[in-house]
Amino acid sequence: MRLWSVHPRYLDRQGLTAAWREALLAQKVLTGTTRGYRNHPQLVRFTPPGWPPPPFPGRAVRVPGTAYVPDPQPPAAPQPRDPGQAITTFLHGIADEAAARGYVFDRSKVLHPPDPDLRLEVTDGQLAHEWGHLRAKLAERSPDVLARWSGVGVPDPHPMLVVAPGPVAPWEVLDDLE
């Protein structure tokens, strides 16, 4: 899962559609309506303060001397939670870029309208790290898009993010193989 801090305008077609899918997945994780990616480090910045991790229904337990078996007392079905404004505003930023390119992303999948006043911080170190990561991806699959942005030394952030001085974010996995 990659929830890009760089402005969606820099993403190629594949990157933009992947960003949409992955942000929708993040919204599902934050509502507690999916089992995967619950502990993904990039979700930290989109999780409302004070929230525990989403519930994990149907977890398996290990009975000593046997294989894993379903929990004999499965928890009650989780009630979907409100994912908060951060991830939904992030999704709208991606959908806005898609619309500017003539794509139609189904905004009915986004649980809230955007909050035009919501801003999250991203460090200049994180933005630079992601810019290098994205440029490497573009060099492999979309050299024409990379060439379009060749003069950009410091990219703009996603519209809901503001840049502050600092290192790569602590939630970033620096040796990832995305």
Side-chain angles (χ1 to χ4, degrees), residues 34-135:
T34 190
R35 296 171 66 149
Y37 294 96
R38 291 179 331 115
N39 298 314
H40 198 282
Q42 289 196 37
L43 292 174
V44 169
R45 64 180 164 169
F46 296 103
T47 303
W51 272 23
F56 184 45
R59 116 185 124 235
V61 294
R62 171 99 189 203
V63 176
T66 68
Y68 283 93
V69 296
D71 189 339
Q73 301 274 335
Q79 297 300 312
R81 308 189 294 186
D82 186 322
Q85 285 294 138
I87 193 63
T88 57
T89 299
F90 185 82
L91 275 159
H92 282 287
I94 296 168
D96 290 345
E97 177 60 27
R101 295 187 196 185
Y103 303 140
V104 179
F105 286 3
D106 183 1
R107 287 185 197 252
S108 72
K109 295 180 178 187
V110 183
L111 299 178
H112 294 297
D115 179 346
D117 299 322
L118 178 65
R119 297 289 178 267
L120 298 178
E121 278 191 0
V122 62
T123 62
D124 53 3
Q126 179 64 31
L127 205 57
H129 170 72
E130 289 187 25
W131 186 231
H133 187 63
L134 177 59
R135 290 174 56 83

